[in-house]
Amino acid sequence: MKLYSLIIAGVFWFFATVSVQAQSETAYLENIQAADQQLLLENFSSAQKLYNQAKSYAHNANEKSYVHYKLGTVYLRLNEKLKARQEWKNALDILDREGDNSGIRFHLKQALANSGM
């Protein structure tokens, strides 16, 4: 009976964990999509807020670096070049520490090179 209870508890824990991860991924995507839309509409403060919210839901290097890349874009559009560069550097640091995505790395390096600083 104890073994059966442990197995049932393990199954419930597994599905609860999967459910929380799925909710977190959904929240990440919802924030990113809304932020991208606000960026396109040039509502920079709203985009900044949504990207910052998305940071707390980002789980892997690609998601984290994307958020920093987009925040850098927001800061650049606000003419805050130092903040933009710092966000892009943060993204590259994440990729160096946690894993690499050559696509986003390329864009980050281009953004840094084109920022003229």
Side-chain angles (χ1 to χ4, degrees), residues 8-50:
I8 295 298
V11 168
F12 282 124
W13 176 83
F14 172 78
F15 284 110
T17 302
V18 169
S19 176
V20 168
Q21 287 176 343
Q23 290 172 353
S24 181
E25 288 174 18
T26 300
Y28 171 80
L29 289 174
E30 287 173 354
N31 277 284
I32 289 296
Q33 290 171 348
D36 286 347
Q37 183 66 32
Q38 292 302 307
L39 183 59
L40 286 173
L41 295 171
E42 298 185 353
N43 295 328
F44 303 123
S45 63
S46 294
Q48 179 184 8
K49 179 180 174 187
L50 289 161

Side-chain angles (χ1 to χ4, degrees), residues 37-86:
Q37 183 66 32
Q38 292 302 307
L39 183 59
L40 286 173
L41 295 171
E42 298 185 353
N43 295 328
F44 303 123
S45 63
S46 294
Q48 179 184 8
K49 179 180 174 187
L50 289 161
Y51 287 127
N52 278 315
Q53 288 174 357
K55 273 189 207 180
S56 63
Y57 300 111
H59 291 293
N60 60 52
N62 293 338
E63 290 175 354
K64 292 173 187 176
S65 62
Y66 182 79
V67 171
H68 285 283
Y69 172 69
K70 296 303 275 195
L71 276 168
T73 302
V74 168
Y75 286 127
L76 183 65
R77 298 294 305 272
L78 291 169
N79 204 30
E80 297 183 39
K81 290 181 181 180
L82 291 175
K83 286 184 179 181
R85 287 183 60 80
Q86 187 58 54

